[in-house]
């Protein structure tokens, strides 16, 4: 654990309560209502580093590194870790090894490892893999839990982005995804939805927030338990996020929404906090600030997990009793160095310097 000033914060902040189904306190759903420090509202962090983080890497990241990344995140206390994608390797070569990753990773009890699925073929590939994990006939032959119990389906708020990302229009993608969601639900999988480009589209500019709302409604109508709203390009400001959420919340219950912010313009944490003020209780984040969408030119990584966890300190929100920020910081550096660079998480950089200084001081004693 961190020591000095950070541990003082850490005692209240670095231990988080697990993801609960009671997503939010309705008294705190009013726009721009700040939570008080004593309210301790649970926030779910969905760690998307192994998927959104790595999918944009130019060089192929070896399966064993991806497996180690997922394992480190789980051991650091993350409860939802997006482990990869069953997409076409012709479109996103980096995700080609996902079946191996989810077969080889440790599967910790209470941790969910969702994977992205774009179409029926992706679901079939996943179900084939899962079929090898059927419960053993005899209790004397215990089987490990199946690698995942959740898929994420994805579309976008503009035709141009949907075309670039999945080779179809919004309507075409919804038509393609509806039977996939139904089949996954029939197999007992949970289904999460994504809407990309909720603020700006890299191809068609300013997005119509009404479209974001309609696409969100469509995904929920297919049985998604939650829809994550992606500021794919990362142009969002807190004011734009507010405006977008005000529109979506006209017809969609806020507890069905998650926030997914890229940090291209440095507004990721501010947008997270703004979305919490709106009642959102699930935030996607990426360790070390890894990532970017291959079909969103110029966009940088997701808001860093470390930055979100740091910002939540003393805010009255709590992100999971088991999360160890020091381990998350170390994991952010570990994977960044594997990728030949430094962690871009601001909190990750500062906390690592602090941890190093403290280690040196201890060594001198
Ligand atoms: C949807 C398709 C497949 C349509 O792509 P398509 O080319 O129209 O598909 P197709 O059905 O014509 O198939 C083309 C080839 O791909 C194969 N194929 C087809 N499907 C699969 C599959 N599932 N798994 C493996 N192989 C597959 C298929 O078998 C065929 O192979 P061939 O016969 O030529 O040898 C393609 O566009 C695709 O995979 N797109 C995914 C793109 C992607 O992964 N983008 C990043 C994820 S979304 C994101 O990052 C945003 C998010 C979620 O983070 C939120 C945010 O920040 O906004």
């Amino acid at each position: 654990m961190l020591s000095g000033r950070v541990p003082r914060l850490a005692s209240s902040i670095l231990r988080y309560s697990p993801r609960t189904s009671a997503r939010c306190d309705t008294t705190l759903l009013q726009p721009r209502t700040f939570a008080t420090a004593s309210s301790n509202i649970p926030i779910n962090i969905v760690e998307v580093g192994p998927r959104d983080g790595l999918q944009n890497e130019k060089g192929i990241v070896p399966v064993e590194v991806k497996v180690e990344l997922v394992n480190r995140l789980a051991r650091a206390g993350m409860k939802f870790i997006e482990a990869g994608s069953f997409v076409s390797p012709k479109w996103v070569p980096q995700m080609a090894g996902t079946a191996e990753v989810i077969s080889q990773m440790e599967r910790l009890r209470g941790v969910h490892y969702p994977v992205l699925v774009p179409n029926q073929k992706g679901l079939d590939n996943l179900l084939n893999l899962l079929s090898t994990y059927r419960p053993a006939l005899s209790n004397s032959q215990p089987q490990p839990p199946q690698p995942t119990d959740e898929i994420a389906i994805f579309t976008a708020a503009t035709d141009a982005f949907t075309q670039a990302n999945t080779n179809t229009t919004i309507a075409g993608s919804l038509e393609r995804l509806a039977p996939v969601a139904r089949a996954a639900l029939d197999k007992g999988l949970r289904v999460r939805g994504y809407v990309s480009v909720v603020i700006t589209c890299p191809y068609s500019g300013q997005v119509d927030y009404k479209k974001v709302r309609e696409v969100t409604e469509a995904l929920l109508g297919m049985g998604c338990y939650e829809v994550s709203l992606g500021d794919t390009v990362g142009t969002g400001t807190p004011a734009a996020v507010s405006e977008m959420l005000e529109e979506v919340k006209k017809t969609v219950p806020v507890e069905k929404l998650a926030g997914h912010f890229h940090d291209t313009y440095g507004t990721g944490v501010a947008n997270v906090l703004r979305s919490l003020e709106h009642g959102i209780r699930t935030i996607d984040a990426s360790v070390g600030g890894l990532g970017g969408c291959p079909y969103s030119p110029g966009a940088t990584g997701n808001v860093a997990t470390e930055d979100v966890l740091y910002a939540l300190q003393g805010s009255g929100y709590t992100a999971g009793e088991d999360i160890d920020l020091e381990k998350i910081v170390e994991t952010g550096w570990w994977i960044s160095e594997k990728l030949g660079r430094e962690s871009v998480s601001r909190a990750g950089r500062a906390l690592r310097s602090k941890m190093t200084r403290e280690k040196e001081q201890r060594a001198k004693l």
Side-chain angles (χ1 to χ4, degrees), residues 267-299:
T267 51
V269 167
N271 291 341
V272 165
L273 296 176
R274 177 56 59 89
S275 63
L276 297 182
E277 290 167 32
H278 277 270
I280 284 190
R281 296 293 174 257
T282 299
I283 296 296
D284 301 348
S286 177
V287 70
L290 298 175
C293 175
Y295 296 97
S296 178

Side-chain angles (χ1 to χ4, degrees), residues 51 55 86 88 90 119 121 165 167 196 232 260 262:
R51 194 279 304 170
Q55 71 183 9
F86 281 78
S88 168
K90 292 186 173 155
N119 58 7
K121 177 157 186 157
N165 199 33
N167 203 21
S196 285
T232 316
H260 180 108
H262 286 256

Side-chain angles (χ1 to χ4, degrees), residues 51-52 55 85-92 116 118-119 121-123 125 154 161 165-167 176 194-197 230-232 260 262 292-295 302:
R51 194 279 304 170
D52 208 355
Q55 71 183 9
S85 303
F86 281 78
V87 296
S88 168
K90 292 186 173 155
W91 283 67
V92 185
L116 253 62
N119 58 7
K121 177 157 186 157
L123 183 66
N125 290 345
F154 54 100
F161 187 84
N165 199 33
T166 55
N167 203 21
R176 181 192 280 167
Y194 275 108
V195 183
S196 285
V197 296
D231 177 15
T232 316
H260 180 108
H262 286 256
C293 175
Y295 296 97
N302 295 87

Side-chain angles (χ1 to χ4, degrees), residues 71-106:
N71 289 347
R72 282 175 183 247
L73 289 164
R75 288 187 216 129
M78 300 310 293
K79 298 293 181 221
F80 281 75
I81 304 168
E82 218 173 56
S85 303
F86 281 78
V87 296
S88 168
K90 292 186 173 155
W91 283 67
V92 185
Q94 194 55 257
M95 289 290 107
T98 295
E100 287 77 26
V101 173
I102 68 171
S103 302
Q104 292 172 29
M105 69 193 183
E106 289 169 359

Side-chain angles (χ1 to χ4, degrees), residues 53-363:
L54 297 186
Q55 71 183 9
N56 210 26
E57 286 299 316
K58 287 198 174 58
I60 296 296
V61 180
V63 165
E64 59 271 22
V65 171
K66 293 178 179 171
V67 168
E68 178 69 15
L69 175 60
V70 173
N71 289 347
R72 282 175 183 247
L73 289 164
R75 288 187 216 129
M78 300 310 293
K79 298 293 181 221
F80 281 75
I81 304 168
E82 218 173 56
S85 303
F86 281 78
V87 296
S88 168
K90 292 186 173 155
W91 283 67
V92 185
Q94 194 55 257
M95 289 290 107
T98 295
E100 287 77 26
V101 173
I102 68 171
S103 302
Q104 292 172 29
M105 69 193 183
E106 289 169 359
R107 294 189 284 281
L108 299 191
R109 201 171 288 283
V111 180
H112 301 268
Y113 302 92
V115 289
L116 253 62
V117 167
N119 58 7
Q120 191 59 46
K121 177 157 186 157
L123 183 66
D124 290 344
N125 290 345
L126 173 65
L127 292 177
N128 280 341
L129 178 70
L130 296 187
S131 67
T132 63
Y133 290 87
R134 286 216 179 88
L137 293 175
S138 141
N139 284 343
S140 63
Q141 291 176 307
Q143 289 274 74
Q146 68 177 22
T148 187
D149 59 0
E150 180 169 327
I151 65 163
I153 58 176
F154 54 100
T155 181
T158 68
D159 280 323
F161 187 84
T162 316
Q163 197 72 51
N165 199 33
T166 55
N167 203 21
T168 184
T169 57
I170 299 173
S173 75
L174 296 175
E175 205 175 309
R176 181 192 280 167
L177 292 173
V180 174
R182 209 162 37 243
L185 291 167
D186 285 348
K187 291 287 178 187
L189 297 170
R190 286 157 41 106
V191 182
R192 190 176 197 237
Y194 275 108
V195 183
S196 285
V197 296
V198 299
I199 306 283
T200 310
C201 173
Y203 308 104
S204 53
Q206 177 61 48
V207 168
D208 177 0
Y209 300 147
K210 193 162 163 272
K211 199 71 200 167
V212 178
R213 177 163 63 78
E214 288 168 4
V215 176
T216 303
E217 284 171 2
L219 288 172
L220 290 172
M222 289 178 200
C224 292
Y225 73 90
E226 172 178 281
V227 173
S228 178
L229 301 175
D231 177 15
T232 316
V233 193
T235 50
T237 58
V241 168
S242 276
E243 205 185 319
M244 181 273 295
L245 287 175
E246 290 295 355
E247 177 61 35
V248 177
K249 290 195 308 183
K250 280 181 183 166
T251 54
V252 176
V254 72
E255 57 270 34
K256 296 278 182 194
L257 299 174
H260 180 108
F261 301 105
H262 286 256
D263 205 16
T264 317
Y265 287 82
T267 51
V269 167
N271 291 341
V272 165
L273 296 176
R274 177 56 59 89
S275 63
L276 297 182
E277 290 167 32
H278 277 270
I280 284 190
R281 296 293 174 257
T282 299
I283 296 296
D284 301 348
S286 177
V287 70
L290 298 175
C293 175
Y295 296 97
S296 178
T300 61
N302 295 87
V303 64
T305 310
E306 301 90 314
D307 295 357
V308 173
L309 294 173
Y310 187 81
L312 291 182
Q313 296 183 116
S315 64
Y317 299 106
T318 175
E321 231 157 52
D322 300 330
I323 295 179
D324 182 331
L325 178 52
E326 184 173 335
K327 283 191 182 161
I328 297 286
V329 168
E330 283 166 355
T331 302
W333 275 94
W334 173 83
I335 185 63
S336 300
E337 284 167 2
K338 287 278 175 203
L339 300 172
R341 54 178 183 260
E342 297 190 336
S343 167
V344 299
S345 160
R346 301 294 293 269
R349 295 171 79 91
L351 290 174
R352 183 155 102 157
S353 296
K354 181 177 164 56
M355 283 148 57
T356 307
R357 275 198 312 278
E358 286 173 355
K359 211 166 144 191
E360 286 166 359
Q361 278 163 7
R362 276 197 304 276

